[in-house]
Amino acid sequence: MTSRFTELVVDCHDPERLAAFWCAVLDFKVIDRSEGKVEIGSWEPTIEEVRGRQMPPTLVFVRVPEGKTVKNRLHLDVSPIDGSTDDEVVRLLGLGAAKVDVGQGPGQSWVVMTDPEGNEFDVLRTLAPSS
């Protein structure tokens, strides 16, 4: 008996806004939406594919009434694939992200940011080919 990691759920005030932000960040698309919930991903899950092998999880944004009050216990890490880390940080700032200090200290190889609702995530080293 085994399970698969299929979705990561993010509680939020505005699922549509966060889904749009993360679609732009990750080049995902909306694959399902219902009242108070939006699911995005890089692929449309099917039972056969999920049973066959571990596939990338989708992100599900669910409307909740309470706000975020403390640092996340779980966060996403993203790695730019076609530009520098600094260029990606600038792009994400333009999408509505913000830089944040969570005690990481200076000189780190990653940048801590927040999405439009304050959820922390890290921008890691670039995976772009060296020129």
Side-chain angles (χ1 to χ4, degrees):
M1 181 178 281
T2 219
S3 292
R4 295 279 191 254
F5 175 27
T6 55
E7 295 100 12
L8 178 66
V9 178
V10 178
D11 292 347
C12 60
H13 283 288
D14 189 344
E16 291 289 340
R17 180 179 180 212
L18 272 191
F21 172 80
W22 283 104
C23 278
V25 171
L26 300 170
D27 194 26
F28 279 14
K29 63 182 179 178
V30 172
I31 57 175
D32 189 35
R33 67 170 32 101
S34 59
E35 183 64 34
K37 181 181 102 173
V38 180
E39 183 175 10
I40 67 172
S42 61
W43 65 294
E44 187 112 16
T46 66
I47 290 173
E48 295 76 25
E49 287 177 307
V50 170
R51 287 181 55 87
R53 66 189 186 283
Q54 182 64 57
M55 301 294 287
T58 61
L59 294 175
V60 181
F61 301 93
V62 178
R63 181 176 297 119
V64 297
E66 64 273 359
K68 181 179 179 303
T69 58
V70 298
K71 182 179 175 291
N72 296 10
R73 297 284 306 254
L74 174 73
H75 67 264
L76 299 179
D77 288 344
V78 299
S79 298
I81 59 168
D82 54 9
S84 72
T85 300
D86 290 341
D87 290 342
E88 184 65 354
V89 167
V90 169
R91 183 180 83 88
L92 298 177
L93 289 168
L95 293 174
K99 286 185 177 181
V100 65
D101 182 351
V102 295
Q104 68 269 26
Q108 300 301 325
S109 61
W110 67 90
V111 177
V112 181
M113 302 189 82
T114 59
D115 71 16
E117 288 201 13
N119 300 299
E120 296 93 2
F121 67 97
D122 295 337
V123 181
L124 304 180
R125 73 204 170 286
T126 183
L127 301 177
S130 300
S131 30

